[in-house]
Amino acid sequence: MSLDVEPPDPPELAAVDPNEYEDAEVSGGEYRRDELEAFLREGAWDAAFDEWAVGSDMDESDWRIALDLELVSRFDFFWDDFADRVGYHAPGIPEDWKERDLHPDLDSWGTVSAINAGLTELGQIVCETLKADYIDWEAEFDAPDDLPDFGE
């Protein structure tokens, strides 16, 4: 399947501690969001979005709901120095979507799942694109001196 839509503007990255997310555990405190946001604007976002859209299982109706709910603007990307990777938090539709009446076209768990899974996949591709094509810095993590030396 393929999603034939224009890429939205990349998200503006807020100064959030990634450890506040349920799905992230990050060591260090320098998340390099300004640099990542610049890379997104310089083309990483569009390149990743295009790659994602070609293989996306989301349809145009799902995508329209995600845009209407402004989910894309709630993505977060951050540098995880300890793991030498770009981490991310993908926005999603909450489990209580029915009670909250979030969108008139949001009418099934299948649609919710498609949107949440699609946004997670997009976040992963953005991270891979940033790391492979834009980031030229190396992790600065130095292992503590008291770690055992398994080489002996």
Side-chain angles (χ1 to χ4, degrees), residues 81-151:
D81 195 58
F82 183 78
D84 192 29
R85 70 177 178 97
V86 177
Y88 73 102
H89 175 74
I93 297 172
E95 290 184 15
D96 64 349
W97 61 271
K98 279 185 179 181
E99 293 81 20
R100 294 171 65 183
D101 195 27
L102 293 177
H103 193 280
D105 295 331
L106 193 57
D107 57 5
S108 75
W109 278 107
T111 300
V112 170
S113 294
I115 292 169
N116 288 349
L119 293 176
T120 298
E121 291 166 1
L122 174 58
Q124 183 61 44
I125 292 172
V126 170
C127 290
E128 291 167 2
T129 299
L130 284 164
K131 180 74 169 137
D133 301 333
Y134 289 83
I135 293 175
D136 61 0
W137 62 74
E138 305 238 348
E140 296 176 10
F141 174 75
D142 289 324
D145 293 335
D146 61 349
L147 288 180
D149 185 3
F150 295 107

Side-chain angles (χ1 to χ4, degrees), residues 58 61-72 115 119:
M58 286 178 71
S61 174
D62 298 338
W63 181 245
R64 204 169 19 262
I65 292 169
L67 289 179
D68 289 349
L69 295 175
E70 299 179 351
L71 294 176
V72 174
I115 292 169
L119 293 176

Side-chain angles (χ1 to χ4, degrees), residues 13-15 30-42 77-78 137:
L13 306 182
E30 177 54 47
Y31 304 120
R32 302 183 93 150
R33 284 193 173 92
D34 290 342
E35 292 156 286
L36 293 174
E37 189 171 323
F39 292 149
L40 293 174
R41 296 202 178 285
E42 290 168 9
F77 297 96
F78 47 87
W137 62 74

Side-chain angles (χ1 to χ4, degrees), residues 37-58:
E37 189 171 323
F39 292 149
L40 293 174
R41 296 202 178 285
E42 290 168 9
W45 176 261
D46 287 347
F49 186 90
D50 290 345
E51 178 183 336
W52 168 78
V54 168
S56 178
D57 289 333
M58 286 178 71

Side-chain angles (χ1 to χ4, degrees), residues 22 73 84 87 139 152:
E22 292 177 14
S73 68
D84 192 29
E152 294 180 3

